[in-house]
């Protein structure tokens, strides 16, 4: 099936769609279907981490097994993207029996990296180009923005379209992966917080280096900007050590974009003369924490906390203990720019409790400062 099959308009909003397959080839279709408001069930014996993460956040249903007739019958539409021809045929045949439409988008192959250069070159069984010599590959660190496929830069989107291999994260704009050239390899290296599946940084570095060495155009697609809590520098360093050329395409960081999408300006002439972006990954008081919360409380800047869902109570306490007015406005914004975006409003002293009570899970950003109370008035 040609990639242009996705260009027909299917009214999937609010309808049950079964996605059979959970590897790299499923990420783009799943994200695009989410964006369109489908009710998604993914069936895959060994699902990628990004899909496990979406299931944990309640954004789709995931079963770690192959699809059977009952699954197909309960779907309005079936999408076969296992990356295995035999399995995709089996699902297609089941859909036929059940009178369901089954799509097999060809844009992502999950396990078959193409060679760089011509689209027609043969690919060897070890995943190396079997054709003639290839030029040196390249790694492009692409900032994907906060997750909405419309919020990547023009250069970033062009790099994704041109890639032979896309190494991606759960917070990247995954819907873009629904529109790749046929045969592009998608590798999910998501680190899921809270003890979920994870790919070690050494393994990620090795993937980048190995694919570039094989002459491939590798896009490392990240959420936000690669250099804002994105380990872009570490990956650049790992490539440099191996003599691999690296290019950087900056992205719109969630630290600014997510508050903006929720109507919160990180600066306002009447409120502050700056904003401070911090990681809440380790709480104040933890020996690994190198932030001076007393200084932050006095800074007069809006505080933008990333990765702070689990540590928000300790952060709020540290700020108020250090003299911040407990009634300072605060807001938590989850899933910014995605169909599930929501905000919780409170104050420096209440925001942690309200965020927890609302059942907010990562990814979320909390802004603490007068700007968090901004409401444009008529
Ligand atoms: N490099 C990224 C940040 C990576 S750290 C950037 O520049 O945006 C991951 C954290 O970013 C998440 O835990 C969350 O705090 C924040 N984040 C990223 N995308 C988000 C989104 N769409 N909505 C809310 N928070 C988001």
């Amino acid at each position: 099936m040609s990639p242009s099959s996705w260009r027909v308009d299917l009214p999937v909003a609010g309808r049950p769609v079964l996605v059979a397959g959970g590897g790299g080839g499923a990420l783009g279709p799943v994200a695009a279907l989410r964006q369109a408001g489908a009710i998604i069930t993914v069936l895959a014996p060994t699902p990628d981490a990004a899909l496990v993460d979406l299931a944990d956040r309640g954004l789709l249903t995931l079963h770690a097994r192959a699809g059977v007739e009952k699954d197909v019958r309960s779907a309005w539409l079936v999408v076969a993207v296992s990356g295995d021809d035999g399995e995709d045929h089996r699902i297609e045949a089941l859909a036929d029996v059940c009178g369901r439409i089954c799509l097999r988008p060809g844009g992502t192959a999950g396990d078959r990296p193409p060679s760089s250069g011509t689209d027609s070159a043969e690919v060897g069984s070890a995943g190396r180009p079997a054709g003639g010599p290839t030029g040196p590959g390249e790694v492009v660190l692409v900032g994907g923005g906060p997750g909405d496929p419309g919020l990547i830069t023009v250069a970033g989107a062009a790099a994704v379209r041109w890639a032979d291999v896309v190494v991606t994260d759960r917070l990247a704009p995954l819907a873009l992966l629904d529109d790749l050239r046929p045969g592009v390899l998608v590798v999910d290296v998501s680190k899921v917080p809270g003890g979920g599946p994870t790919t070690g940084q050494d393994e990620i570095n090795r993937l980048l280096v190995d694919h570039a060495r094989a002459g491939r155009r590798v896009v490392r697609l990240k959420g936000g900007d690669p250099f804002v809590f994105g380990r872009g520098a570490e990956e650049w360093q790992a490539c440099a050590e191996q003599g691999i050329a690296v290019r950087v395409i900056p992205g719109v960081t969630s630290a600014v974009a997510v508050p903006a999408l929720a109507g919160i300006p990180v600066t306002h002439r009447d409120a502050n003369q700056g904003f401070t972006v911090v990681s809440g990954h380790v709480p104040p008081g933890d020996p690994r924490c190198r932030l001076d919360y007393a200084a932050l409380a006095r800074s007069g800047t809006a505080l933008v906390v990333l990765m702070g869902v689990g540590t928000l109570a300790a952060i709020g306490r540290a700020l108020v203990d250090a003299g911040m007015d407990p009634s300072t406005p605060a807001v938590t914004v989850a899933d910014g720019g995605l169909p599930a975006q929501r905000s919780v409003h409170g104050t420096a002293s209440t925001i942690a409790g309200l965020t927890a009570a609302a059942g907010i899970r990562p990814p979320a950003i909390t802004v603490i400062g007068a700007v968090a109370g901004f409401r444009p008035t008529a």
Side-chain angles (χ1 to χ4, degrees):
M1 185 172 286
S2 85
S4 61
S5 308
W6 280 111
R7 294 191 206 291
V8 302
D9 275 347
L10 290 176
V12 292
R15 294 202 154 120
V17 177
L18 173 65
V19 176
L27 297 183
V30 164
L33 286 163
R34 263 196 76 208
Q35 207 73 27
I39 300 167
I40 303 168
T41 299
V42 175
L43 296 175
T46 53
D48 270 8
L51 297 172
V52 174
D53 173 55
L54 288 172
D56 284 351
R57 286 154 60 193
L59 300 173
L60 54 78
T61 305
L62 174 66
H63 299 297
R65 59 170 174 80
V68 295
E69 186 173 325
K70 187 162 78 77
D71 304 312
V72 171
R73 281 205 188 282
S74 56
W76 181 79
L77 175 71
V78 179
V79 183
V81 280
S82 71
D84 168 345
D85 262 0
E87 171 61 8
D88 286 352
H89 269 124
R90 187 183 71 81
I91 294 290
E92 211 169 24
L94 271 180
D96 245 7
V97 169
C98 303
R100 298 293 183 277
I101 298 174
C102 180
L103 301 179
R104 293 185 59 188
T108 53
D111 57 359
R112 218 160 13 93
S115 63
S116 62
T118 73
D119 283 341
S120 58
E122 291 276 299
V123 175
S125 58
R128 294 278 186 267
T134 55
E138 182 187 27
V139 170
V140 189
L141 297 174
V142 176
D148 179 326
L151 293 178
I152 192 170
T153 65
V154 172
V160 171
R161 275 197 303 276
W162 146 108
D164 296 318
V165 179
V166 180
V167 179
T168 190
D169 278 336
R170 66 188 239 286
L171 298 180
L174 297 176
L176 285 179
L177 306 180
D178 193 36
D179 204 19
L180 299 175
R181 293 175 301 122
V184 171
L185 175 68
V186 176
V187 187
D188 174 17
V189 295
S190 300
K191 295 185 171 77
V192 179
T198 197
T199 304
Q201 192 59 48
D202 288 348
E203 171 65 14
I204 297 173
N205 296 348
R206 197 163 37 240
L207 269 170
L208 300 178
V209 167
D210 284 356
H211 281 298
R213 258 211 194 114
R216 300 190 185 109
R217 300 172 294 200
V218 183
V219 160
R220 175 67 173 110
L221 182 62
K222 291 167 170 289
D225 182 88
F227 294 156
V228 179
F229 305 131
R231 303 206 186 184
E234 290 171 48
E235 292 172 8
W236 191 346
Q237 176 63 34
C239 290
E241 281 168 11
Q242 301 299 321
I244 304 291
V246 172
R247 273 195 302 138
V248 179
I249 300 179
V252 178
T253 180
S254 65
V256 175
V258 167
L261 289 163
I264 307 296
V266 288
T267 71
H268 188 304
R269 200 149 55 104
D270 297 340
N272 61 22
Q273 290 171 345
F275 61 97
T276 309
V277 180
V278 300
S279 163
H281 182 57
V282 288
D286 186 295
R288 293 166 299 165
C289 178
R290 282 177 282 165
L291 293 168
D292 181 343
Y293 274 90
L296 292 172
R298 281 193 312 268
S299 68
T301 66
L303 198 56
V304 182
V305 184
L306 274 60
M307 294 177 277
V309 172
T311 54
L312 215 45
I315 290 172
R317 227 173 10 248
L319 293 169
V320 170
D321 285 353
M324 179 182 275
D325 181 346
S327 67
T328 303
V331 62
T332 297
V333 186
D335 284 312
L338 297 167
Q341 174 177 322
R342 59 188 178 136
S343 305
V344 176
H345 287 266
T347 66
S349 62
T350 64
I351 193 65
L354 293 170
T355 298
I360 298 285
R361 315 262 308 254
I365 283 179
T366 298
V367 181
I368 306 172
V371 287
F374 177 73
R375 293 272 192 295
T377 46

